[in-house]
Amino acid sequence: MSYLVLARKYRPRNFAEMVGQEHVVRALTNALTQQRLHHAYMFTGTRGIGKTTVSRILAKSLNCVGADGLGGITAQPCGVCAACTAIDGGRFTDYIELDAASNRGVDEVQGLLEQAVYKPVQGRFKVFMIDEVHMLTNTAFNAMLKTLEEPPEYLKFVLATTDPQKVPVTVLSRCLQFNLRPMAPETIQTHLAQVLQAETIAAEPQALRLIAGAARGSMRDALSLTDQAIAFGSGSLQEAAVRQMLGSADRSHVLALIDALARADGRTVVQVSEQLRLQGLSATSTLLEMAAVLQRMAVLQAVLDAESAAGDADPDAAVLARLAQAMPADETQLLYSICLHGMDELGLAPDEYSALTMVLLRLLAFKPAGAAAEKKKLTTPEEALSAPVPVPGPEPVAQAPIVEQTRAPLRLPVRSDTNFVQKPLPAPEEQAPTAIETIEISVHEVPQEAALEAARATVADAQWSPTEEGAFWHALVQELVGQQKISALTRELALQSQLVARDGKHWHLRVDNASLNQATVRERLCTALQDAGQADAISVEMGQVSDSPARRNAQAAAAQQAQAEAIVRNDPQVQQLMRDFGAKIVPGSVRLA
């Protein structure tokens, strides 16, 4: 007799045998008991958690006739009647499974729907089960919409998918949806222990824990890994053999890494990482195991204590409790986050073990320094008040110290003719009632507004050098712009160019921006000049421009700005405020309306 793998041998035959999907089992059981049956069901969830199994159990519940042949719809199929045994054996004519991954076209769906017009041959209901339904084409979905919405009373649809986001909402709205959840590692471990006990196979609890974690919520994957582990271990499951098979790091390595990181022992971290490389253990599984251990440590730090952890069934519970006390909670959270994000970096590095080492050392790079380490810190206000502030002498005035804002508790106003600095407070026994004493030192400052005005005048003079043709060209361009005869790049060419010479009706221009010297732009400017009765042809050369309409406009704007600032600065009320209260005119605050 051929061997039957565990995933098929121990496939649930009824709802009572289902593991980890109590919410789905309860809803379907109540619906079957109360005869509140929907015409279309959809089961969603990741691989290996029971979507197809639930579909077959539902089909048996709808068609079971009981051991005596007189039964009806039931939530507990007998498993011995003709309908139940035929469905389990895949021989039931009225239960049709369609794999949409390989039969995704409209022709396959239409062939299935053609059978919907015929009543059941063997059972009470026809059941159409479409697996991986999200793989169907849009045309195939459209072909089944009408039948899916209003099927015959003897027809039930069961759809299963691992990606419900790809199923059209028009299909989802016609189905009763059930989301099957990934199973907890503890649930998988308990079920594996029962299966191995039935198979009379010895297994260590830690070996089952490793398999349950590697299954990632899939019972089918867990049973497949168990089959592989039985073959690898010659009929028994031992932790060392399962670790070797999975390529996962030993818990002792992980605990050693976390202990070294807690002690900021970089040498040990590198040595353990090298041992993992020499043993050929998976870097990904190492980070996964570390994340699991750190998660338990974080729980211990938050809600438990060492005494309650000592009674844990985990043999490493005492070590975890010690590490939870040795590593601060913020470092635990940081290392947990680094482990999770580090798994994405393993595939980017040329060597996953070097990437693993870098991920582990990252915590040491961001680890807060100890109390004995030298740290840079800001001076507190009390330290700033107690620290002596040197008072500069009258010469040289330019070397007068400036009190930093981060260290000084107070900022005193600075007038244009005087400068205030803090003086050291007297000794505690000689302290006066006033908190801070100030002295006044005369300095000579150039008013900032005057300096800005001089800078503007210098820049304007440097950029603008009037020429003979400049005034004429500026007036003409301003007229064309005002009349909207030129726009966009044509306007920019006229504003940025300099009229070098006029040879009758042929004018020579110069521009320093190559992007403006384009044939189409030149033609548009020439057309505008022709319409204005000025020039019939123009030529544009590249070179330095010293007198253009744009620079004349900038010079005029600078002069107007300087005049406006002078009016504000010479206002008697403004001068009184500056003299009595040390007020200043904020640079750039005076703007032309």
Side-chain angles (χ1 to χ4, degrees), residues 255-283:
L255 296 177
L257 285 172
I258 297 177
D259 181 67
L261 291 172
R263 294 182 288 103
D265 187 358
R267 181 185 297 274
T268 302
V269 171
V270 175
Q271 291 176 350
V272 175
S273 178
E274 182 65 16
Q275 293 177 8
L276 296 175
R277 184 187 68 82
L278 294 176
Q279 297 178 16
L281 300 179
S282 171

Side-chain angles (χ1 to χ4, degrees), residues 251-307:
R251 175 70 75 88
S252 61
H253 291 99
V254 173
L255 296 177
L257 285 172
I258 297 177
D259 181 67
L261 291 172
R263 294 182 288 103
D265 187 358
R267 181 185 297 274
T268 302
V269 171
V270 175
Q271 291 176 350
V272 175
S273 178
E274 182 65 16
Q275 293 177 8
L276 296 175
R277 184 187 68 82
L278 294 176
Q279 297 178 16
L281 300 179
S282 171
T284 302
S285 65
T286 301
L287 292 179
L288 284 173
E289 184 68 18
M290 286 189 66
V293 173
L294 291 166
Q295 184 268 338
R296 292 199 58 191
M297 290 172 53
V299 172
L300 290 174
Q301 292 169 344
V303 298
L304 297 179
D305 53 17
E307 288 74 11

Side-chain angles (χ1 to χ4, degrees), residues 8 31 49 61 81 266 279 285 289 346 355 384 418 433 437 484 558 560:
R8 294 182 59 188
I49 57 176
S61 298
C81 67
Q279 297 178 16
S285 65
E289 184 68 18
L346 297 180
T418 58
E437 183 181 351
Q484 297 183 353
Q560 293 177 0

Side-chain angles (χ1 to χ4, degrees), residues 68-112:
D68 55 1
L70 301 177
I73 298 175
T74 177
Q76 300 174 352
C78 65
V80 296
C81 67
C84 291
T85 55
I87 292 175
D88 288 336
R91 303 182 306 272
F92 195 65
T93 307
D94 296 323
Y95 178 71
I96 303 174
E97 290 188 2
L98 178 68
D99 181 17
S102 54
N103 300 278
R104 57 193 305 265
V106 64
D107 294 336
E108 289 81 356
V109 172
Q110 287 180 343
L112 177 66

Side-chain angles (χ1 to χ4, degrees), residues 445-458 562 565-566 569-570 578 585 587:
E445 286 186 354
V446 178
Q448 192 171 10
E449 293 81 0
L452 291 175
E453 181 181 351
R456 293 194 194 97
T458 303
E565 293 178 358
R569 185 171 57 255
N570 296 328
M578 297 173 64
I585 300 176

Side-chain angles (χ1 to χ4, degrees), residues 249-519:
D250 188 272
R251 175 70 75 88
S252 61
H253 291 99
V254 173
L255 296 177
L257 285 172
I258 297 177
D259 181 67
L261 291 172
R263 294 182 288 103
D265 187 358
R267 181 185 297 274
T268 302
V269 171
V270 175
Q271 291 176 350
V272 175
S273 178
E274 182 65 16
Q275 293 177 8
L276 296 175
R277 184 187 68 82
L278 294 176
Q279 297 178 16
L281 300 179
S282 171
T284 302
S285 65
T286 301
L287 292 179
L288 284 173
E289 184 68 18
M290 286 189 66
V293 173
L294 291 166
Q295 184 268 338
R296 292 199 58 191
M297 290 172 53
V299 172
L300 290 174
Q301 292 169 344
V303 298
L304 297 179
D305 53 17
E307 288 74 11
S308 59
D312 199 326
D314 191 341
D316 298 322
V319 180
L320 292 177
R322 180 181 61 81
L323 291 176
Q325 294 179 350
M327 179 175 287
D330 55 346
E331 290 186 21
T332 304
Q333 296 291 338
L334 175 61
L335 183 55
Y336 178 81
S337 178
I338 289 176
C339 290
L340 291 183
H341 290 84
M343 285 185 284
D344 296 333
E345 303 176 8
L346 297 180
L348 302 177
D351 179 10
E352 70 170 2
Y353 296 102
S354 62
L356 174 63
T357 304
M358 290 298 295
V359 170
L360 297 176
L361 293 179
R362 189 171 302 160
L363 177 66
L364 299 182
F366 292 101
K367 186 181 180 69
E374 296 182 0
K375 298 182 180 179
K376 293 183 179 180
K377 61 178 180 179
L378 295 176
T379 305
T380 62
E382 293 78 4
E383 293 173 344
L385 287 173
S386 60
V389 181
V391 180
E395 294 181 0
V397 177
Q399 297 179 357
I402 301 175
V403 180
E404 297 181 5
Q405 183 176 1
T406 57
R407 296 177 180 271
L410 296 175
R411 289 289 302 271
L412 298 180
V414 179
R415 290 168 50 180
S416 59
D417 57 344
T418 58
N419 186 22
F420 291 91
V421 297
Q422 294 182 6
K423 182 179 179 181
L425 294 176
E429 61 274 6
E430 300 176 358
Q431 272 192 340
T434 57
I436 296 179
E437 183 181 351
T438 60
I439 63 173
E440 186 174 305
I441 302 176
S442 299
V443 296
H444 299 283
E445 286 186 354
V446 178
Q448 192 171 10
E449 293 81 0
L452 291 175
E453 181 181 351
R456 293 194 194 97
T458 303
V459 173
D461 293 342
Q463 292 182 345
W464 177 61
S465 178
T467 60
E468 297 179 359
E469 300 288 354
F472 168 77
W473 179 240
H474 175 263
L476 177 59
V477 171
Q478 292 295 102
E479 181 181 356
L480 294 176
V481 172
Q483 297 176 357
Q484 297 183 353
K485 299 294 185 181
I486 55 177
S487 61
L489 289 179
T490 307
R491 180 184 64 237
E492 291 302 315
L493 175 61
L495 289 172
Q496 302 294 340
S497 62
Q498 176 180 345
L499 179 59
V500 179
R502 288 181 287 175
D503 186 6
K505 292 292 185 177
H506 185 211
W507 292 7
H508 299 274
L509 303 177
R510 180 185 300 155
V511 70
D512 56 5
N513 190 343
S515 63
L516 297 175
N517 191 9
Q518 302 178 16

Side-chain angles (χ1 to χ4, degrees), residues 496-562:
Q496 302 294 340
S497 62
Q498 176 180 345
L499 179 59
V500 179
R502 288 181 287 175
D503 186 6
K505 292 292 185 177
H506 185 211
W507 292 7
H508 299 274
L509 303 177
R510 180 185 300 155
V511 70
D512 56 5
N513 190 343
S515 63
L516 297 175
N517 191 9
Q518 302 178 16
T520 56
V521 180
R522 293 195 302 267
E523 291 177 1
R524 293 172 184 170
L525 180 58
C526 183
T527 301
L529 293 175
Q530 289 175 357
D531 295 341
Q534 297 295 334
D536 294 335
I538 63 172
S539 60
V540 182
E541 64 180 14
M542 298 298 300
Q544 185 176 2
V545 176
S546 59
D547 186 11
S548 65
R551 300 199 178 188
R552 283 179 175 260
N553 292 340
Q555 193 274 341
Q560 293 177 0
Q561 179 70 24

